[in-house]
Amino acid sequence: MVPTSISGTAVALPAIGADLHASPAALQWVVNAFNVAFACFTLVWGSLADLIGRVRAFATGAAVFTAASLACALAPDVYVLDAARALAGLGGAAVFACGSAIISTAFDGAARAKAFALFGTVAGVGVALGPTVSGPAVDLLGWRWIFGLHALALALVLVCLPAVARTVGEPRNPAAPRLDVRGAAVFVLAMLALTYAIVQGSQWGWTAPGTLGLLAAALILLVLFTARSKRTEAPLLDLSVLRDQEFLAYCLVPVAASFGFVTQLTYLPTYLTTVTGHSPSSAGATMLLLTLPVLVLPLAGAKLVERGTAARSVVLASLGFLVTGDLALLVLGPDTSTLVMAAPMLLTGAGMGLSAGLVDARALALVEPAKAGMAAGFLNTLRLGSEAVAVAVFGSAVAGLAAGRQDTGTAPAAAYDSAFHTLLGAMAAVCAVLALVVIAWGRRQRRA
């Protein structure tokens, strides 16, 4: 439900705007409010789960998500809708962070790898099918039913949770101190400043005083948060976890996927309709080439590890596929056939799918069970935060480069084509650099 809520809601924006007479800025926050709240509170929920129990924290987040989805369905105006979407993001952060923490502590060995592979597969299903399900729902039932369906599905989750609580042990430490509320407040404010700067930077300009001021405030707050984490007995983020460079290396893999895969998932449909002349429905069907590997390969990656392939080798292969796929997408052009597009898109999707779930399993296996929630929160904060950065930077850069080339007399479609190719090379370079860091940190940790 969390990935579906992220990827599927954008489809409803035109209908929401027409029904609620919303301004473009207010309408965009139907999507942004969820993402910002999600990024701000993922680490908080992860740490809270270690204190009060993972299933209890998960249930609280699911209840918040359910109530917020119902409020979205009944919203009388766009401002109430934006506020409800922010509340849904807060609940979604608990579902994602605490869900992976529950899996980490409920399974061991090969069973854990399979469970996380299924976790990655289901997340891929949500990302891929969100727009596919939301489009017909808007056409047949109206935009409010998108959120109504979210509420109904989440209500089913709540009904099932008592059985989960009976099956899964609740690892709690009764002697553990309370949540570091001040540290949580500083971290949330830092993430709020950072994500708001990223969201608005493409509109205000990356060198605008407002953008630079928010980025500076985020940096100062993160420095204060780090200093507090060193002094507090029970910090929101135990910095000792970050001393394990193998853990950090695994945490960088979703960051690479954000730049190499999520940017294409977001902007490739626009390229297909603007440059190659695909209809919206044809572009959507073509995008299955990108998303199909995300549905199939997580379980295949787990099976490879189960049969003796080193998890590190599978992860490095996925990073290699991301770099190769982004570079291969350079073959795209106005007259490129779907058959020619197939290999680059499948490679890029394989880069995302092969390590989906496996990264979470391996990273959380390196952390003691009592800190699994916090570690999952940190991992997912990096995951969603990097997605926000990658998508905002890619979109802003493509728009700026295309506008600059149109000013020199280049036709709009050709200008977008050229700008898109430039950014493809840049995304491949970012993925390659991150892959080298993953390799270096992994080797250094093993030598240590």
Side-chain angles (χ1 to χ4, degrees):
M1 292 311 304
V2 172
T4 298
S5 186
I6 293 172
S7 67
T9 303
V11 175
L13 292 183
I16 294 172
D19 186 31
L20 299 182
H21 308 290
S23 67
L27 195 61
Q28 192 59 40
W29 277 96
V30 174
V31 174
N32 291 341
F34 185 96
N35 294 343
V36 170
F38 192 110
C40 288
F41 287 96
T42 302
L43 181 60
V44 176
W45 276 111
S47 296
L48 187 61
D50 290 336
L51 299 178
I52 69 172
R54 285 77 189 265
V55 176
R56 181 177 297 179
F58 182 98
T60 304
V64 171
F65 199 172
T66 305
S69 297
L70 185 60
C72 289
L74 301 174
D77 57 59
V78 72
Y79 301 106
V80 173
L81 179 59
D82 287 345
R85 284 288 290 166
L87 191 62
L90 188 151
V95 168
F96 220 72
C98 302
S100 54
I102 289 171
I103 293 172
S104 178
T105 53
F107 297 93
D108 290 307
R112 175 189 278 171
K114 290 180 181 178
F116 270 109
L118 185 59
F119 180 81
T121 297
V122 172
V125 169
V127 170
L129 298 186
T132 305
V133 173
S134 297
V138 172
D139 292 337
L140 297 175
L141 303 173
W143 66 265
R144 295 181 184 275
W145 269 102
I146 288 185
F147 304 110
L149 291 172
H150 291 173
L152 289 174
L154 288 160
L156 179 61
V157 171
L158 289 173
V159 170
C160 295
L161 275 177
V164 175
R166 288 193 298 269
T167 305
V168 179
E170 276 280 45
R172 298 177 59 189
N173 180 8
R178 290 183 296 179
L179 180 71
D180 179 16
V181 176
R182 292 182 181 178
V186 172
F187 181 79
V188 168
L189 288 174
M191 291 300 298
L192 181 61
L194 178 61
T195 52
Y196 192 75
I198 292 167
V199 168
Q200 295 298 116
S202 58
Q203 300 178 26
W204 295 346
W206 293 105
T207 58
T211 305
L212 294 177
L214 284 171
L215 291 174
L219 179 61
I220 293 170
L221 288 168
L222 286 174
V223 170
L224 292 174
F225 173 73
T226 302
R228 180 173 180 82
S229 297
K230 293 178 179 178
R231 298 194 313 266
T232 306
E233 179 186 356
L236 187 70
L237 176 62
D238 188 342
L239 298 180
S240 66
V241 173
L242 306 186
R243 298 192 188 107
D244 187 329
Q245 292 190 337
E246 188 175 2
F247 171 77
L248 288 177
Y250 280 118
C251 289
L252 285 182
V253 176
V255 178
S258 295
F259 284 90
F261 174 83
V262 176
T263 53
Q264 306 315 312
L265 183 69
T266 306
Y267 292 107
L268 193 54
T270 302
Y271 180 91
L272 294 175
T273 55
T274 302
V275 177
T276 66
H278 283 64
S279 66
S281 59
S282 174
T286 303
M287 288 298 291
L288 287 174
L289 293 168
L290 190 70
T291 56
L292 186 61
V294 183
L295 310 184
V296 175
L297 291 182
L299 288 171
K303 184 65 70 175
L304 285 172
V305 174
E306 184 182 350
R307 292 180 177 178
T309 304
R312 180 173 174 273
S313 298
V314 176
V315 168
L316 291 180
S318 75
L319 292 172
F321 287 145
L322 279 175
V323 175
T324 306
D326 280 1
L327 291 175
L329 284 171
L330 292 171
V331 303
L332 294 181
D335 302 317
T336 305
S337 67
T338 302
L339 184 62
V340 173
M341 293 179 195
M345 293 177 72
L346 288 170
L347 273 173
T348 305
M352 175 68 178
L354 193 60
S355 63
L358 178 62
V359 165
D360 299 67
R362 299 301 298 182
L364 297 183
L366 296 169
V367 180
E368 60 184 275
K371 298 177 181 178
M374 177 191 62
F378 177 77
L379 173 60
N380 285 303
T381 297
L382 283 186
R383 176 179 275 127
L384 196 80
S386 63
E387 287 181 10
V389 171
V391 168
V393 170
F394 192 102
S396 178
V398 164
L401 289 172
R405 287 163 189 176
Q406 287 183 56
D407 290 341
T408 63
T410 306
Y416 192 89
D417 181 37
S418 175
F420 193 88
H421 279 70
T422 300
L423 266 295
L424 278 175
M427 296 301 102
V430 171
C431 290
V433 170
L434 289 171
L436 292 174
V437 175
V438 169
I439 292 170
W441 281 358
R443 286 178 178 173
R444 190 179 304 170
Q445 186 67 29
R446 284 196 304 279
R447 284 199 301 269

